Amino acid sequence: MKVTLSVIKADVGSIGGHTKPSDRMMDAVRSEVSNAVSGGLLIDAYVSHTGDDIAMVMSHTHGENNSEVHQFCWDAFIKATGVAKEYGLYGAGQDLLVDAPSGNVRGAGPAVAEIEWDHTLESPRPAESFLVLAADKCGPGAYNLPIFLGFADPMYCGGLMLPQMIKGFTFTVIDMENTEADSVIELNAPEDVYHLAALLRDNERFGIDSIHSRTHEEKAVAISAQRLHSIAGTYTGKDDPIALVRNQGIFPAPEELTSPFAKVHYVGGDARGSHVMPLMPVPINTAVTGIYCLPIVSCVGFSMAADGSFSDSVVDFFDNPTWDVIRNRAQEKGIEMRSQGWSGAAMLPYTELEYGGFRDTVGGLLDRFSFRD
Ligand code: 13P
Ligand code: MG
Ligand code: MG
């Protein structure tokens, strides 16, 4: 049977500032999801939060971009927004950028990543396992470097030297500047890796949209690469991308995919979505309370049974002492960057800031410039 995995997340309100959703909001979404499972719309679902973003991981048979599934998610976020409003929480409904989505929440604010596949549990996928990555306080290209390394660099993914992966992967890269329609390019690793790097170095404009195996007709990765300010025309909140990554066998193993996150590379985001700070791997359901925010990323692993339901429990990859030393490094890198405050590389370039109030401040000053005699 064909199974679709949909991960849809949004920030619809949080406690004490932009930290995490309240328990009542989480309960509201969980109750909607359990109705959707018992009503037959979904096969299975898992609800979590990363910082202030609520993510729903759902399996079903309706295909990608299904209007019923998308509408269900929108309605669940509306319910949680209602709770956030009732209790006076911060940013109630923040990521719901339109009044009503036209059957698809992609482009309406929530982050969406979906993959459909033929779920036979036979070769080349005798077992189906996947990771869900969720990032908070992050720009849209936060996964560009780590996912590139996991799928295109044998220094991180030794499995690329094996027969099932040696032909490499096709990367679909999206130009997020273009909001009229999806503007994409396909580039093959390994032969196009320099071209890929030339695009993916720009985390604010170009993002990995999806990755396919070149050996098997299988989609390995889907990422919600979109810029909220391009949709809203102004700064409403950070893009906080999610990623769905199938693993093992014909795809990289979890350790090959997670080890690039030990870099704690600098990404755009952080406080007011305007700074450059390291991406810290954290356990699922972590609140953002770090020094000057700190962008965070969670990674949860699932297996899928023949009927499309999830394993009875999930594995939380970054909830392991091995990542403590990495978290310390992230904090040290963060403190180092913060020591230069607003200067140069510590903040995003003006082209990114111009969507927010910084534009008004700088614009007002630009008007006062005049030529000296
Ligand atoms: P969120 O998108 O997570 O709400 O972050 C926005 C922000 O501006 C943080 O300071
Ligand atoms: Mg928020
Ligand atoms: Mg957020």
Side-chain angles (χ1 to χ4, degrees), residues 249-289:
I250 60 169
F251 302 133
E255 61 276 20
E256 292 165 334
L257 296 163
T258 53
S259 59
F261 287 93
K263 283 195 176 304
V264 293
H265 68 306
Y266 289 107
V267 297
D270 199 70
R272 302 189 185 282
S274 309
H275 292 81
V276 177
M277 285 283 268
L279 181 60
M280 179 193 270
V282 295
I284 193 72
N285 300 323
T286 294
V288 168
T289 55

Side-chain angles (χ1 to χ4, degrees), residues 11 18 52 94 136-137 235 237-238 240 270-273 293:
D11 174 357
H18 50 226
D52 58 10
Q94 176 185 287
D136 188 34
K137 309 293 180 261
Y235 179 77
K238 214 49 191 170
D240 300 343
D270 199 70
R272 302 189 185 282
C293 269

Side-chain angles (χ1 to χ4, degrees), residues 274-344:
S274 309
H275 292 81
V276 177
M277 285 283 268
L279 181 60
M280 179 193 270
V282 295
I284 193 72
N285 300 323
T286 294
V288 168
T289 55
I291 300 170
Y292 219 70
C293 269
L294 213 56
I296 59 171
V297 60
S298 61
C299 177
V300 176
F302 298 73
S303 282
M304 185 182 273
D307 66 355
S309 60
F310 300 151
S311 36
D312 61 351
S313 49
V314 298
V315 59
D316 187 347
F317 277 93
F318 295 147
D319 185 16
N320 181 302
T322 194
W323 290 95
D324 289 346
V325 64
I326 301 303
R327 283 189 265 277
N328 286 342
R329 271 192 59 217
Q331 193 51 65
E332 276 161 16
K333 283 179 72 169
I335 289 170
E336 208 51 57
M337 187 60 106
R338 286 310 310 141
S339 73
Q340 69 179 62
W342 41 259
S343 179

